[in-house]
Amino acid sequence: MDDYKEKVDDYKDQLMSKAASVDQKGKFFTFSKPLTDMIDNGTLFTKFTGLLYQVIGAIFLLIPLYVLYKGIDGNIFDAPFKYVLLAFVFFAAFSLSCWISFQIFFNRKDQFNDLDTSKGYIATAIASNFTSTMGEVIAVFWAIIGTLFSILAIIFDDAESFLGVLGMEGTGAAIADIVFFPVSAFCILIFSRFVSELINAMAEVARNTKR
């Protein structure tokens, strides 16, 4: 029994000796180190999110082209003049909203370059930024399209039906909606910024608690 134990110990020592002699700084052990370092210091998240913002911005530029294609494919120009006019105005307002949304995302991507990754809570900062950015985009659509078609609803009975395409619902009274949509857009902007700042505040509290 003692001989068996001694042999096991010998094999164990030999195994540990060989393991210690292996170059643990070689590619077999360190191939993914640049990736793990980027995850640890937050660089991966900031760079990928900046790229994601550019992609989302590009999508906003392409959406109007898709809407135009669907309109032409649906023979929109064969409709009565009133509907063609409303569709044209809707497309112009929608394209403007998408263009501004593209600019919002494209400008916000640069904020991640100056993000202090040494403080930690990188994902929290990204979530906070995305929340406020999306709030700004939604507010743009509500303010531009909602207000414009509320004004047109005074002249054209079917103007409000175009708001339903984007899931936008007003009070049902055109004159009231002229006030409702700008105020709602401002409230969306404030609320999204509030949630964004709340997320940052929670991270700041956690950071100070660790100290």
Side-chain angles (χ1 to χ4, degrees):
M1 186 68 181
D2 291 337
D3 292 340
Y4 177 75
K5 185 177 180 181
E6 289 178 2
K7 290 182 179 180
V8 170
D9 291 339
D10 289 341
Y11 283 127
K12 182 179 178 181
D13 292 340
Q14 293 177 12
L15 182 63
M16 294 299 294
S17 177
K18 290 182 178 180
S21 64
V22 174
D23 182 12
Q24 297 185 6
K25 294 183 179 180
K27 288 295 183 180
F28 182 81
F29 294 96
T30 61
F31 176 75
S32 64
K33 190 175 186 303
L35 175 62
T36 55
D37 287 343
M38 290 178 66
I39 294 175
D40 291 338
N41 60 32
T43 306
L44 175 68
F45 303 111
T46 55
K47 288 184 177 296
F48 180 79
T49 305
L51 178 62
L52 180 63
Y53 272 38
Q54 294 182 61
V55 172
I56 295 175
I59 290 174
F60 272 110
L61 288 180
L62 295 175
I63 289 176
L65 299 178
Y66 176 75
V67 172
L68 179 62
Y69 163 75
K70 293 297 291 184
I72 295 176
D73 187 59
N75 299 318
I76 184 62
F77 295 109
D78 294 336
F81 175 75
K82 178 178 71 172
Y83 293 106
V84 175
L85 178 62
L86 288 173
F88 177 79
V89 174
F90 175 82
F91 178 74
F94 183 78
S95 298
L96 177 61
S97 300
C98 287
W99 182 37
I100 295 175
S101 299
F102 154 75
Q103 294 180 355
I104 290 174
F105 270 100
F106 194 78
N107 292 332
R108 289 292 183 274
K109 71 177 176 59
D110 295 329
Q111 293 181 347
F112 298 105
N113 296 332
D114 302 325
L115 193 63
D116 188 358
T117 58
S118 63
K119 293 182 178 180
Y121 300 97
I122 303 301
T124 304
I126 292 173
S128 171
N129 187 285
F130 184 76
T131 300
S132 62
T133 301
M134 283 303 302
E136 293 167 8
V137 169
I138 295 173
V140 165
F141 278 85
W142 274 70
I144 295 178
I145 300 178
T147 305
L148 177 60
F149 273 80
S150 296
I151 296 173
L152 290 176
I154 300 176
I155 305 172
F156 302 102
D157 295 334
D158 299 319
E160 287 188 359
S161 63
F162 282 82
L163 297 177
V165 175
L166 299 178
M168 300 168 63
E169 295 290 339
T171 62
I175 296 178
D177 284 344
I178 295 176
V179 178
F180 171 77
F181 278 105
V183 172
S184 296
F186 181 75
C187 290
I188 292 171
L189 193 62
I190 289 294
F191 181 74
S192 64
R193 183 55 62 93
F194 169 75
V195 174
S196 173
E197 292 178 357
L198 185 62
I199 294 173
N200 284 331
M202 292 173 62
E204 191 65 29
V205 170
R207 188 179 294 116
N208 293 332
T209 302
K210 287 175 63 177
R211 296 176 184 174

